[in-house]
Amino acid sequence: MNEEILSLYRAYNVAMAADDTTALDRLLAPDFTLTHMTGYVQPRAEWLGELQRGTMRYFSSAEDHVAVTATDDGWRVVGQNRVVASIHGSGKYEWPLNTDMMVQRINGDLQIMGAVVTTY
């Protein structure tokens, strides 16, 4: 089971780095939120819209470490990736991002329920 969860986490990072909102649309639960390192809790539709408009642009995501833990209602995935991005017109920078996400199986499909991003 952990391999399936790891694959989901990695697919999320690949889709994010490719600005692939179609893939992210399949991976994210309808009520998904992304809590940014600033503390801003961004709704799913707003984040995907920023990716589509290019106001948030991701270029690459290189995995350093990832761990999966089973919970009562799904899985917790904590991963560290070095992410290159340009956010709201900033330059292109690399951030060491820690992503703490919750995953559940909904109607047979794995879905990312939410993610909290900080630096490491």
Side-chain angles (χ1 to χ4, degrees):
M1 176 52 69
N2 279 1
E3 286 304 317
E4 188 178 12
I5 306 303
L6 285 171
S7 291
L8 175 75
Y9 172 79
R10 290 174 176 144
Y12 165 87
N13 281 291
V14 166
M16 184 181 69
D19 296 320
D20 186 346
T21 57
T22 301
L24 287 168
D25 188 57
R26 288 190 307 270
L27 300 173
L28 307 177
D31 57 349
F32 169 89
T33 59
L34 175 62
T35 304
H36 293 276
M37 61 184 169
T38 61
Y40 178 64
V41 179
Q42 190 169 37
R44 176 188 194 274
E46 183 181 310
W47 184 51
L48 294 177
E50 289 212 48
L51 291 175
Q52 289 171 332
R53 289 187 302 280
T55 53
M56 296 188 91
R57 181 84 206 281
Y58 300 93
F59 299 95
S60 65
S61 180
E63 184 180 301
D64 284 334
H65 180 264
V66 63
V68 177
T69 307
T71 66
D72 289 341
D73 60 352
W75 299 268
R76 179 179 181 198
V77 182
V78 179
Q80 291 84 38
N81 286 51
R82 288 169 281 110
V83 176
V84 176
S86 173
I87 306 299
H88 298 141
S90 72
K92 192 173 169 181
Y93 298 103
E94 180 178 273
W95 283 283
L97 297 183
N98 184 84
T99 301
D100 188 340
M101 67 173 51
M102 293 305 302
V103 175
Q104 292 181 351
R105 191 171 297 280
I106 308 294
N107 297 323
D109 295 322
L110 289 175
Q111 296 266 281
I112 301 169
M113 307 308 292
V116 177
V117 176
T118 56
T119 57
Y120 68 97

